[in-house]
Amino acid sequence: MKIKMVNNYQEMSNDAADLIEDQLKKKKASILGLATGGTPEGLYEELVRRYHLGRIDFQEVQTFNLDEYIGLPQDHPQSYAFYMWSRFFSQVNIDPARIHLPFSTTAGDAEAATAYDKQLKQAGGIDLQLLGIGENGHIGFNEPSSFLWADTHYAELSRETMEANARFFAWREDVPQQAITMGMAPILQARHIVLMASGKEKAHAVKEMLCSPISPWHPASFLQLHSKVEVVLDAEAAAELPPHVFAYK
Ligand code: GLP
């Protein structure tokens, strides 16, 4: 696990963009696992900029997004589908047939979850998985709990997650209470993981992820078991870390 601290949000976004650019140089037809939320907004902007400069080509790339709210249509401005199309997919040369977004209108619909896992498997798994982290240590919408799910599943969002995500909605009551999310298995099976965190609100979750015993009560702590994780942090998100973690290999 490599931990890197940078000065600010822009540097974090540029660093993550470098890692994606390198990945696509090595393998044009890479399978990217993509994340949403406030954290990767700058990264997508940077990737679009590099695409326009002719540095990155997305033509052969396949993407799998981590998660989606249940109860929002895909054209809702706060849906993750809308987020991805408006910020990224519509601005680069990705083939729409290679874009995979989890979607379901009801939490009980096992078919949508199974179909998503099947697509992931058929694609051969993820080459590079991009992650953010929730203030409570969630990744995707794998929320802290006494157990974690391996496969794509429906998640009841925790109070903390709904509160953190309320900033994107006009009213607190508008925040969906459920989501469909990739499970822990494809995330941990990704050949390379890049996790970004920015801001002091994430400092505690970042410390727990890297320095606490692995526990389903802190889903991101399972990344300790993965041999190729790069964590890119701004100074505020890294504030609670002991110095020795920066020497992790
Ligand atoms: C959201 C998403 C995650 C994201 C995390 C942090 O709820 N489900 O995929 O990484 O929480 O979000 P943000 O980057 O907005 O802080």
Side-chain angles (χ1 to χ4, degrees):
M1 200 181 249
K2 274 194 206 150
I3 323 291
K4 184 169 178 193
M5 183 176 77
V6 295
N7 291 314
N8 53 43
Y9 181 81
Q10 188 56 47
E11 281 185 26
M12 178 195 71
S13 308
N14 292 348
D15 245 68
D18 288 346
L19 295 169
I20 292 180
E21 188 174 344
D22 287 350
Q23 170 66 38
L24 298 188
K25 261 188 207 135
K26 273 188 257 149
K27 185 178 172 188
K28 282 181 89 163
S30 286
I31 318 284
L32 301 181
L34 298 180
T36 50
T39 309
E41 285 177 8
L43 163 67
Y44 290 125
E45 241 174 64
E46 182 58 22
L47 290 176
V48 170
R49 197 183 72 82
R50 292 183 192 196
Y51 162 70
H52 286 299
L53 291 173
R55 282 171 60 176
I56 310 189
D57 178 10
F58 292 96
Q59 202 162 15
E60 294 179 38
V61 167
Q62 228 183 127
T63 63
F64 284 86
N65 262 76
L66 276 170
D67 48 18
E68 179 60 281
Y69 290 119
I70 290 179
L72 299 185
Q74 285 182 302
D75 59 357
H76 187 287
Q78 293 312 330
S79 76
Y80 289 162
F82 188 92
Y83 173 114
M84 290 306 305
W85 277 100
S86 56
R87 290 189 161 80
F88 185 52
F89 296 148
S90 66
Q91 308 207 37
V92 297
N93 65 336
I94 191 163
D95 172 0
R98 294 176 200 258
I99 293 169
H100 305 274
L101 295 156
F103 179 70
S104 178
T105 49
T106 46
D109 168 17
E111 247 173 65
T114 313
Y116 200 63
D117 282 330
K118 201 170 156 195
Q119 289 176 340
L120 258 166
K121 247 182 220 140
Q122 275 169 355
I126 293 163
D127 289 307
L128 185 150
Q129 176 67 55
L130 188 67
L131 293 175
I133 183 170
E135 290 172 34
N136 63 0
H138 73 238
I139 47 178
F141 273 128
N142 292 280
E143 291 277 34
S145 163
S146 56
F147 66 94
L148 294 171
W149 297 77
D151 297 331
T152 298
H153 61 279
Y154 297 97
E156 297 291 331
L157 303 190
S158 66
R159 194 175 38 80
E160 297 100 305
T161 298
M162 287 193 281
E163 267 160 28
N165 291 355
R167 69 190 196 281
F168 297 114
F169 292 82
W171 306 100
R172 168 74 178 72
E173 302 71 50
D174 295 343
V175 184
Q177 299 181 10
Q178 292 174 317
I180 177 168
T181 182
M182 205 186 269
M184 295 296 286
I187 297 175
L188 293 171
Q189 285 159 5
R191 292 174 270 285
H192 184 183
I193 297 177
V194 176
L195 183 142
M196 295 187 289
S198 155
K200 59 181 185 319
E201 299 77 15
K202 300 293 172 70
H204 186 68
V206 166
K207 182 180 156 216
E208 294 277 297
M209 162 175 76
L210 300 173
C211 305
S212 290
I214 294 164
S215 159
W217 293 103
H218 200 284
S221 65
F222 279 81
L223 300 181
Q224 292 174 31
L225 296 173
H226 195 283
S227 57
K228 198 173 179 202
V229 181
E230 297 188 54
V231 179
V232 190
L233 306 167
D234 70 5
E236 288 188 337
E240 291 188 24
L241 290 178
H244 73 263
V245 302
F246 295 102
Y248 286 173
K249 291 281 174 249

